């Protein structure tokens, strides 16, 4: 059976963490280096966790960190994140769970993650949402610090699962909320869907090169319903 691979970003696409990531990084830098508000004026959208940490070192501590220094902060960040993720502002974007449920039931899609989070961080962030069950594989910042490398790894893992299922992947869509998601998809040669749900507008995502842009999951479902019907026809 032919299937379409859908690779989802997490933050700003599936869920809003309620600022849990920012607070966890702030706490980590304060604990180790004694600085307050480490993430102030740092824009994390679409960046990988290791590169966000590196940027804080450069801009706030005026140093180019060793890899181990970044890893040490990341390990502390994950510990803080396990607590911070449970907060009243955490939410799943409206229609996300319903879309995933529908996509799973159609059996026409292979659902995966492509995220700038470390794999453990991705699981922590999705735990309150109960969405992790829909994703059989993913690519993470623990695979690569660059978005293109993350996409490649997610694709490789998806192909292995497709082979186990005796199915064939005929198209890949990257679904994300930031220009960096869109640019990475274009660089790899995958199709891109921009979800204008959080910090970036439809215009921002179109300028980045998104082939399709939607403001809610009902429109995404409508699009893929028609797309798969056309593909079958």
């Amino acid at each position: 059976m032919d299937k379409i691979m859908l690779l989802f970003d997490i933050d700003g696409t599936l869920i809003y963490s309620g600022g849990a990531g920012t607070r966890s990084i702030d706490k980590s830098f304060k604990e180790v280096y004694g600085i307050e508000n480490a993430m102030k004026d740092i824009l994390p959208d679409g960046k990988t966790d290791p590169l966000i940490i590196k940027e804080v070192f450069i801009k706030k501590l005026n140093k180019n960190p060793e890899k181990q220094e970044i890893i040490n902060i990341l390990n502390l960040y994950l510990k803080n994140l396990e607590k911070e993720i449970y907060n009243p502002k955490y939410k799943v974007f409206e229609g996300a769970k319903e879309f995933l449920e529908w996509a799973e039931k159609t059996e026409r899609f292979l659902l995966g993650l492509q995220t700038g989070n470390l794999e453990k961080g991705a699981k922590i962030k999705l735990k309150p949402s109960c969405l992790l069950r829909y994703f059989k594989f993913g690519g993470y910042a623990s695979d690569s610090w660059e978005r293109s490398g993350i996409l490649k790894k997610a694709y490789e893992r998806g192909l292995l699962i497709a082979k186990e299922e005796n199915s064939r992947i005929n198209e890949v869509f990257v679904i994300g909320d930031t220009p960096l998601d869109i640019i990475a998809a274009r660089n790899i040669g995958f199709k891109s869907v921009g979800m204008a749900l959080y910090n970036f507008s439809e215009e921002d995502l179109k300028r980045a090169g998104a082939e399709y842009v939607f403001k809610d999951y009902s429109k995404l479902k409508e699009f893929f319903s028609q797309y798969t019907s056309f593909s079958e026809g």
Side-chain angles (χ1 to χ4, degrees), residues 152-164:
K152 288 177 181 178
K153 181 56 70 172
Y155 179 62
E156 289 172 9
R157 289 177 175 142
L159 289 181
L160 290 175
I161 290 175
K163 185 177 180 180
E164 291 172 3

Side-chain angles (χ1 to χ4, degrees), residues 31 43 54 60 81 91 128 157 160 175 199 219 232:
E31 288 175 45
L43 300 177
K54 183 177 181 179
K60 301 300 175 69
L81 186 63
K91 70 174 183 178
R157 289 177 175 142
L160 290 175
I175 301 172
N199 275 346
K219 295 296 183 182
E232 289 172 343

Side-chain angles (χ1 to χ4, degrees), residues 26-38 61 73:
D26 282 346
K27 286 186 175 183
S28 301
F29 273 95
K30 184 176 181 180
E31 288 175 45
V32 179
Y33 297 100
I35 62 173
E36 299 280 352
N37 303 314
L61 294 172
I73 289 291

Side-chain angles (χ1 to χ4, degrees), residues 66-77:
E66 299 291 333
K67 184 176 181 180
Q68 190 58 50
E69 291 178 296
I70 294 174
I71 291 171
N72 290 343
I73 289 291
L74 286 170
N75 288 335
L76 187 54
Y77 157 76

Side-chain angles (χ1 to χ4, degrees), residues 45-62:
D45 305 86
K47 299 172 184 174
T48 64
D49 286 347
L51 293 184
I52 293 170
I53 300 301
K54 183 177 181 179
E55 186 175 348
V56 174
F57 270 105
I58 292 170
K59 291 184 175 179
K60 301 300 175 69
L61 294 172
N62 297 312

Side-chain angles (χ1 to χ4, degrees), residues 10 14-15 90 92 97 100 104 111-113 115 119-138 140:
I10 294 177
L14 294 170
I15 60 114
Y90 181 100
V92 178
K97 184 175 182 180
L100 295 173
E104 183 180 67
L111 303 176
L113 295 169
T115 173
E119 183 173 5
K120 184 176 180 181
K123 291 177 178 178
I124 291 170
K125 284 189 175 179
L126 286 178
K127 190 174 181 180
S129 72
C130 300
L131 296 183
L132 192 59
R133 62 171 290 269
Y134 295 103
F135 300 102
K136 298 179 179 180
F137 66 98
Y140 311 93

